Amino acid sequence: MASPPRNHTVATPTAPRATRALSSLQSSTSFRWLWVSNLFFFCGAWTQTLIMGWLVFETTRSEMLLAVFTAVRLAPMLFGPFAGVLSDRYDRVRLLALACSWALGAVAVVATMESFFRVPYWALVLGGLAIGLAQSPSQPARFALVLDLVGRENLSNANALNAMAMNMTQVVGPAIGGAMISTLGAPEALWISTAWYGVSLAALWPLRTSGGRTTGVASGFGPGSFVTMLRAGVRTVLTNRLATSVLLVTLAANVLLWPIYQAFMPVFAQEALGLDAAGLGWLLTCSGAGGLVGSLVIATLGDFRFKGGLFVFGTATWASLWSLFALSHSVTLSFVLMACIGVMSASFGVLQTTLLLMVTEPSVQGRVLGIQELAIGVMPFASLGLGAAAQWAGVGTTTFLSALLLVAVLAVLALCVPQLWRYSGDEAA
């Protein structure tokens, strides 16, 4: 197992709750810089999710074309296993800097176009693809780097703090994006996300000499070794029952529910609730605020027991709340439910990565996270299927049935693999 960096310390169980919640940020300077970089990177990503999705639906008025845009935007997730190999082989900090630079350039082009004329649908699709190529393939390096910087004992806390960063951006990004569309227009919101990518890139600079580099920098890295490393990662997952189970939950959630959130929230906002762009922004802000609270709770727990139980039963609760949201036509109730959905989403979002890192060897963790990214990468195809279903049956009915199906999948998995929900993290990887 990789040794923790020199500036790593472990929070004691007797530390104050506030101290325990922020222990990774307090004990690791390198993790602080990574956290700031992630905060601004995802702030840009969430702003673009709202702005570009709104522009697509405003231009086409078609759930199916919105689903196609989302599918193309998320398609680079399919490169996850290859990105995982790169994460295990090359300097992870440099990979993140390259991805951030590409994102900055891609969003600047889209913002420039929107500043001068209404961007056509095909250009929005290409812009979404360019942004996705920056975001998705960098994820294995982004999350594997956390363990490099904080060590195993602080992993749950650090992943929860990362999730907090993502949820904070869900609060800030959509709210600013929706307000900017209503008051100043889409170009300004896109330029804001461009500036955020610039800050994210600057925050990576101090990590060049941190202890968070991979141990195997590329040397004689030919096609044969690439394929060999990829096969080793796949073999690790197939022979590890716990890792396979976690990935199955990730796969099911990204087939059944995450495409709803990524693609169809503008439809819920406009057709079910009668909200404008600012209202959509605040609806997503409720989810982000709830996710922030949920992540803070997990961060406060530190290296707690029964991580598997919270992962399985928390995800089932999250899906159940989605089924209620699908039936709601009350603005107030929908806002409350979206906040609760955000709270429970933390049990899935934080612990899926934490569990994968805990049950696998450090030498293959980038590749395992790459396979996780591939499981998330089915979302574009699922978006197309759910888009067709929503066009025929309505987005509410589609969401309701998808949520119940995810609950059923989790129930079957809990019965077939009880060691997953009993897992506490005490076992060595």
Coordinates of all heavy atoms in Angstrom, one line a residue, residues 36 40 95 120-121 125 141 144 167 173-174 181 183 223 225 270 305 314 335 339 397-398 411 418:
V36 N -9.4 22.9 -3.7 CA -9.8 24.2 -4.3 C -9.9 24.0 -5.8 O -10.8 24.6 -6.5 CB -8.7 25.3 -4.0 CG1 -8.9 26.5 -4.8 CG2 -8.8 25.6 -2.5
F40 N -13.5 24.7 -8.1 CA -13.7 25.6 -9.2 C -14.0 24.9 -10.5 O -14.7 25.3 -11.4 CB -12.6 26.6 -9.4 CG -12.6 27.7 -8.4 CD1 -11.9 27.6 -7.2 CD2 -13.3 28.9 -8.6 CE1 -12.0 28.6 -6.2 CE2 -13.4 29.9 -7.7 CZ -12.7 29.8 -6.5
L95 N -1.9 15.3 -15.6 CA -3.1 14.9 -16.3 C -4.2 15.8 -16.0 O -5.0 16.2 -16.9 CB -3.5 13.4 -16.0 CG -2.6 12.3 -16.5 CD1 -3.0 11.0 -16.0 CD2 -2.6 12.3 -18.1
P120 N -26.3 27.3 -32.8 CA -27.2 26.3 -33.3 C -27.1 25.0 -32.5 O -26.1 24.8 -31.8 CB -26.8 26.1 -34.8 CG -25.4 26.6 -34.8 CD -25.3 27.7 -33.8
Y121 N -28.1 24.2 -32.7 CA -28.1 22.9 -31.9 C -26.8 22.1 -32.1 O -26.2 21.6 -31.1 CB -29.3 22.1 -32.3 CG -29.4 20.7 -31.6 CD1 -29.6 20.6 -30.3 CD2 -29.1 19.6 -32.4 CE1 -29.7 19.4 -29.7 CE2 -29.2 18.3 -31.8 CZ -29.5 18.2 -30.4 OH -29.5 17.0 -29.9
V125 N -24.0 20.7 -29.3 CA -23.7 19.3 -29.1 C -22.2 19.2 -29.2 O -21.6 18.5 -28.4 CB -24.4 18.5 -30.2 CG1 -23.8 17.0 -30.2 CG2 -25.9 18.4 -30.0
A141 N -7.9 9.9 -12.4 CA -6.7 10.6 -11.8 C -7.1 11.5 -10.6 O -6.5 11.6 -9.6 CB -5.9 11.4 -12.8
A144 N -8.2 9.1 -7.6 CA -7.1 8.3 -7.1 C -6.0 9.2 -6.4 O -5.4 8.7 -5.5 CB -6.4 7.5 -8.3
N167 N -20.9 19.5 -4.4 CA -22.2 20.0 -4.0 C -22.3 21.5 -3.8 O -23.3 22.1 -4.1 CB -22.7 19.2 -2.8 CG -23.2 17.8 -3.1 OD1 -24.1 17.6 -3.9 ND2 -22.5 16.9 -2.5
G173 N -23.2 27.2 -8.8 CA -23.3 27.2 -10.3 C -24.7 27.4 -10.8 O -24.9 28.4 -11.6
P174 N -25.6 26.5 -10.5 CA -27.0 26.7 -11.0 C -27.6 28.0 -10.6 O -28.3 28.6 -11.5 CB -27.7 25.5 -10.5 CG -26.7 24.5 -10.2 CD -25.5 25.3 -9.8
I181 N -28.9 33.9 -16.8 CA -29.7 33.8 -18.0 C -30.9 34.8 -18.0 O -31.2 35.4 -19.0 CB -30.3 32.4 -18.2 CG1 -29.1 31.4 -18.5 CG2 -31.3 32.3 -19.3 CD1 -29.6 29.9 -18.5
T183 N -31.1 37.6 -16.3 CA -30.8 39.1 -16.2 C -29.9 39.5 -17.3 O -30.1 40.6 -17.9 CB -30.2 39.4 -14.8 OG1 -29.0 38.6 -14.6 CG2 -31.2 39.1 -13.7
P223 N 2.1 -0.1 -26.7 CA 0.7 -0.7 -26.7 C 0.6 -1.9 -25.9 O -0.5 -2.2 -25.3 CB 0.5 -0.9 -28.2 CG 1.5 0.1 -28.9 CD 2.7 0.1 -28.0
S225 N 2.1 -3.0 -23.2 CA 2.0 -2.7 -21.7 C 0.7 -2.0 -21.4 O 0.1 -2.3 -20.3 CB 3.2 -1.9 -21.2 OG 3.2 -0.6 -21.9
Q270 N -40.1 23.3 -16.3 CA -41.0 24.1 -17.2 C -42.3 23.5 -17.3 O -43.4 24.2 -17.2 CB -40.3 24.2 -18.6 CG -39.1 25.0 -18.7 CD -38.6 25.2 -20.1 OE1 -39.3 25.5 -21.0 NE2 -37.3 25.0 -20.3
R305 N -17.7 3.0 10.9 CA -18.0 1.6 10.5 C -19.3 1.6 9.7 O -20.0 2.6 9.5 CB -18.2 0.8 11.8 CG -17.0 0.7 12.7 CD -17.2 -0.1 13.9 NE -17.8 -1.4 13.7 CZ -17.1 -2.5 13.4 NH1 -15.8 -2.4 13.3 NH2 -17.7 -3.7 13.2
G314 N -28.7 3.8 2.0 CA -28.8 5.2 1.7 C -29.1 5.5 0.2 O -29.9 6.3 -0.2
F335 N -39.3 21.4 -4.2 CA -38.0 21.9 -3.6 C -37.6 21.2 -2.4 O -36.4 20.9 -2.2 CB -38.3 23.4 -3.3 CG -38.0 24.3 -4.5 CD1 -38.7 24.1 -5.7 CD2 -37.2 25.4 -4.4 CE1 -38.5 25.0 -6.8 CE2 -37.0 26.3 -5.4 CZ -37.6 26.0 -6.7
A339 N -34.1 18.8 -2.1 CA -33.1 19.0 -1.0 C -32.9 17.6 -0.3 O -31.7 17.3 -0.1 CB -33.6 20.0 0.0
T397 N -43.7 9.8 -15.2 CA -43.9 8.3 -15.2 C -42.6 7.6 -15.3 O -42.3 6.6 -14.6 CB -44.9 7.9 -16.2 OG1 -46.1 8.6 -16.0 CG2 -45.1 6.4 -16.2
T398 N -41.8 8.0 -16.3 CA -40.5 7.4 -16.5 C -39.6 7.4 -15.3 O -39.0 6.4 -14.9 CB -39.8 8.1 -17.7 OG1 -40.6 8.0 -18.9 CG2 -38.4 7.4 -18.0
A411 N -32.3 -4.2 -3.5 CA -32.8 -5.2 -2.6 C -32.3 -6.6 -2.9 O -31.9 -7.4 -2.1 CB -34.4 -5.2 -2.6
P418 N -24.5 -10.1 1.0 CA -24.7 -9.4 2.3 C -23.4 -8.8 2.8 O -23.4 -7.9 3.6 CB -25.2 -10.6 3.2 CG -24.8 -11.8 2.5 CD -24.8 -11.5 1.0

